[in-house]
Amino acid sequence: MLIITRKKGESLIIGEDIEITISKIENGSVKIGIKAPKEVLILRKELYEEVKKENKEAINVDMNLLRNINKK
């Protein structure tokens, strides 16, 4: 993991087309702005993990349905 210190208004660049800018620092919270191509998916990690969990659960339900169908 790369750790970088930035102040309000400072940015960092990822690759050639993603820019992350520190917009606001207040009460232990940081607001960031992200400039990236539209085709780049940007999700908060907790949302990504929730979607991943729900997808895994959906696959398990589908597999259980298939197993039950085969038993009949």
Side-chain angles (χ1 to χ4, degrees), residues 10-69:
E10 294 182 334
S11 299
L12 58 102
I13 303 293
I14 300 174
E16 293 183 12
D17 54 2
I18 299 174
E19 180 179 1
I20 299 176
T21 302
I22 305 305
S23 173
K24 186 176 184 179
I25 304 170
E26 184 177 284
N27 298 326
S29 182
V30 177
K31 284 190 177 182
I32 61 172
I34 304 170
K35 287 184 189 175
K38 290 181 180 181
E39 61 271 8
V40 174
L41 179 63
I42 301 171
L43 294 174
R44 296 185 325 260
K45 184 174 181 179
E46 62 273 14
L47 179 58
Y48 172 80
E49 293 295 334
E50 183 65 26
V51 169
K52 193 167 124 178
K53 177 183 168 192
E54 288 180 9
N55 286 343
K56 185 176 180 180
E57 289 172 359
I59 290 171
N60 288 338
V61 168
D62 288 346
M63 292 303 292
N64 287 332
L65 287 172
L66 287 174
R67 286 186 190 108
N68 288 336
I69 290 171

